[in-house]
Amino acid sequence: MARMTEEEANALDEEITNADITLKPGKGGIFTRQRELIDALDHVSADYIMTRAIATKKMPLQILREMVHEKIVSGASA
């Protein structure tokens, strides 16, 4: 299992510490928002993201974030 760098650990700590965990009627929490996001994707994309999330023991939003960051980096170096 990969280890986090100190910088990654601090960033994750900040994200969790500052996360809005207040449940709002009709809004739901992070798991509801993830489910809505996955439901909005086509079947193949949703399956891919969920499979990668399970294999890497990450949340689907983490997988999506990584994919977006990879795309941004590859576009910047092109």
Side-chain angles (χ1 to χ4, degrees), residues 1 3 9 12 21 25 27 38 49 52 56 59 63 70 78:
M1 185 164 102
R3 295 256 182 210
L12 181 59
I21 59 169
K27 290 243 180 194
I38 295 297
I49 292 167
R52 246 181 98 180
T56 59
M59 296 180 78
I63 300 299
E70 288 171 11

Side-chain angles (χ1 to χ4, degrees), residues 20 22 27-38 61:
D20 179 13
T22 306
K27 290 243 180 194
I30 188 168
F31 296 110
T32 301
R33 291 193 304 268
Q34 282 191 100
R35 182 78 256 156
E36 290 170 352
L37 181 59
I38 295 297
L61 288 179

Side-chain angles (χ1 to χ4, degrees), residues 3-27:
R3 295 256 182 210
M4 276 193 234
T5 65
E6 194 69 29
E7 182 179 299
E8 291 170 327
N10 289 335
L12 181 59
D13 178 59
E14 176 132 354
E15 183 178 339
I16 291 170
T17 300
N18 295 325
D20 179 13
I21 59 169
T22 306
L23 293 179
K24 298 171 182 92
K27 290 243 180 194

Side-chain angles (χ1 to χ4, degrees), residues 20-75:
D20 179 13
I21 59 169
T22 306
L23 293 179
K24 298 171 182 92
K27 290 243 180 194
I30 188 168
F31 296 110
T32 301
R33 291 193 304 268
Q34 282 191 100
R35 182 78 256 156
E36 290 170 352
L37 181 59
I38 295 297
D39 288 344
L41 297 171
D42 63 86
H43 183 69
V44 173
S45 298
D47 282 349
Y48 175 79
I49 292 167
M50 291 305 293
T51 300
R52 246 181 98 180
I54 291 166
T56 59
K57 297 181 179 156
K58 295 180 180 178
M59 296 180 78
L61 288 179
Q62 290 174 299
I63 300 299
L64 289 169
R65 182 182 307 135
E66 289 171 2
M67 291 170 69
V68 169
H69 286 233
E70 288 171 11
K71 188 70 172 175
I72 290 169
V73 169
S74 70

